[in-house]
């Protein structure tokens, strides 16, 4: 009959359970990263339209553009301000394309105005701040009117907050459930070693000496599970990128790398803590409780 080795216990069930748990946690983390990037994308693509006075010459337009790009709320893509000039002719073509109506059939002139379309920094995606932006721009000489989508900004922010709260609560609940399940799984796996643990206690082995091989194995199982879960998440992300249009624009490789690294570290921590708690429990049991 083969002798039992300290720290050697069936690990397949633990690896499978921990890998599944880490995969779910990592998947939730990816959803949070993608949703935050999507929210930022929505906010930064919210445009304010600045309609200009009629008959402004080129010099006046250049001066007006220079004043607008210096505003603190203007979004920059690198060094390029996100301020785009739209002529009234271009605006007329867009209007006719959207409405399928040609207003030139009953109007003798183009009633639309030249305008600037400005993308704002994410921090200004609030109704109160947008009102300040509107007032600030309307004080600039040459500006006729400033328009943005009113009343929907706060509603979007409220919905975004609700989504974040729900996802955070779900993630915390799931993490607690996973830790409890892992504790039970490792405790069951260590059940076969309970008598060996007691035998070592009887011959004078210290608790730290008994725990050490189990903790090493728990850390190794956590490391392996974390690496497998991270690899599965990476594969899933690559499949999603190939099959979902526009998803690539939401990617932040550095944050994805940090998340995958965190999954591995979390696996080691959960493996270590769960193993410690399970072994510590058996160390405290009486002889009658062991049976």
């Amino acid at each position: 009959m083969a002798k039992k080795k300290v720290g050697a216990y069936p690990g397949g069930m633990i690896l499978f359970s921990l890998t599944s748990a880490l995969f779910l946690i990592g998947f939730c983390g990816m959803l949070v990263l993608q949703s935050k990037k999507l929210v930022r994308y929505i906010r930064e693509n919210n445009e304010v339209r600045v309609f200009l006075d009629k008959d402004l010459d080129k010099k006046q337009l250049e001066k007006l553009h220079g004043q607008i790009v210096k505003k603190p709320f203007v979004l920059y893509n690198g060094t390029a301000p996100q301020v785009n000039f739209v002529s009234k002719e271009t605006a007329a073509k867009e209007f006719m394309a959207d409405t399928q109506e040609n207003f030139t059939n009953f109007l003798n002139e183009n009633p639309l105005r030249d305008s600037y379309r400005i993308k704002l920094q994410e921090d200004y995606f609030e109704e109160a701040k947008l009102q300040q932006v509107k007032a600030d721009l309307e004080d600039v000489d040459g500006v006729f009117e400033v328009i943005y989508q009113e009343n929907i900004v706060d509603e979007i922010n409220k919905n975004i907050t609700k989504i974040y709260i729900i996802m955070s609560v779900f993630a915390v609940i799931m993490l607690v459930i996973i830790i409890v399940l892992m504790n039970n799984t490792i405790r069951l796996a260590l059940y076969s070693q309970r008598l060996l643990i007691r035998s070592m206690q009887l011959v004078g082995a210290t608790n730290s000496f008994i725990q050490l091989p189990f903790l090493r194995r728990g850390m190794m199982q956590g490391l392996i599970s974390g690496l497998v879960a991270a690899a599965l998440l990476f594969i899933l992300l690559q499949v999603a990128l190939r099959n979902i249009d526009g998803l690539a624009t939401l990617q932040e490789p550095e944050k994805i790398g940090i998340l995958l690294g965190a999954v591995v570290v979390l696996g080691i921590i959960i493996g270590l803590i769960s193993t410690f708690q399970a072994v510590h429990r058996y160390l405290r049991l009486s002889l009658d409780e062991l049976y």
Side-chain angles (χ1 to χ4, degrees), residues 2-176:
K3 294 182 179 180
K4 292 181 180 179
K5 183 179 178 181
V6 178
Y9 53 88
M13 178 174 59
I14 294 175
L15 287 174
F16 177 78
S17 300
L18 186 52
T19 300
S20 301
L22 292 171
F23 178 83
L24 289 175
I25 292 175
F27 183 72
C28 286
M30 279 193 170
L31 288 179
V32 171
L33 288 180
Q34 304 297 326
S35 63
K36 289 186 70 174
K37 182 67 175 181
L38 178 60
V39 168
R40 183 177 180 182
Y41 180 81
I42 292 172
R43 287 175 171 172
E44 291 184 347
N45 280 272
N46 180 55
E47 291 184 334
V48 171
R49 298 195 177 189
V50 180
F51 293 97
L52 311 179
D53 292 336
K54 293 185 177 181
D55 302 323
L56 294 179
D57 57 33
K58 185 178 180 180
K59 186 176 180 180
Q60 289 174 311
L61 288 174
E62 289 177 352
K63 180 181 178 181
L64 184 57
H65 180 270
Q67 290 178 290
I68 291 175
V69 297
K70 292 179 181 178
K71 298 293 183 181
F73 47 75
V74 174
L75 176 68
Y76 274 74
N77 184 6
T79 58
Q82 299 301 289
V83 179
N84 297 314
F85 177 76
V86 180
S87 67
K88 62 181 182 180
E89 290 78 18
T90 301
K93 291 178 181 178
E94 291 179 353
F95 178 84
M96 287 186 285
D98 291 338
T99 62
Q100 301 299 317
E101 294 182 3
N102 189 348
F103 56 80
T104 58
N105 292 333
F106 52 89
L107 292 177
N108 295 325
E109 64 176 357
N110 183 355
L112 303 179
R113 294 173 179 267
D114 295 334
S115 65
Y116 283 109
R117 295 179 184 176
I118 306 172
K119 292 182 180 180
L120 306 181
Q121 295 184 31
E122 184 183 5
D123 295 341
Y124 287 86
F125 195 76
E126 295 177 12
E127 187 67 34
K129 290 185 178 180
L130 285 172
Q131 288 285 353
Q132 294 175 2
V133 169
K134 175 182 170 70
D136 189 0
L137 289 171
E138 288 182 341
D139 284 340
V140 178
D141 290 337
V143 173
F144 174 76
E145 185 181 19
V146 177
I147 293 177
Y148 66 91
Q149 292 180 308
E150 299 184 24
N151 303 322
I152 69 166
V153 174
D154 284 344
E155 192 64 30
I156 291 175
N157 284 332
K158 288 178 183 177
N159 291 333
I160 289 171
T161 301
K162 290 178 183 177
I163 292 172
Y164 281 157
I165 291 174
I166 292 172
M167 292 183 69
S168 299
V169 171
F170 176 75
V172 170
I173 292 174
M174 189 174 66
L175 183 60
V176 171

Side-chain angles (χ1 to χ4, degrees), residues 167-193:
M167 292 183 69
S168 299
V169 171
F170 176 75
V172 170
I173 292 174
M174 189 174 66
L175 183 60
V176 171
I177 292 174
I178 286 169
I179 292 175
V180 172
L181 289 176
M182 286 309 305
N183 282 338
N184 291 333
T185 301
I186 293 178
R187 190 166 62 201
L188 288 173
L190 286 171
Y191 183 76
S192 63
Q193 295 267 305

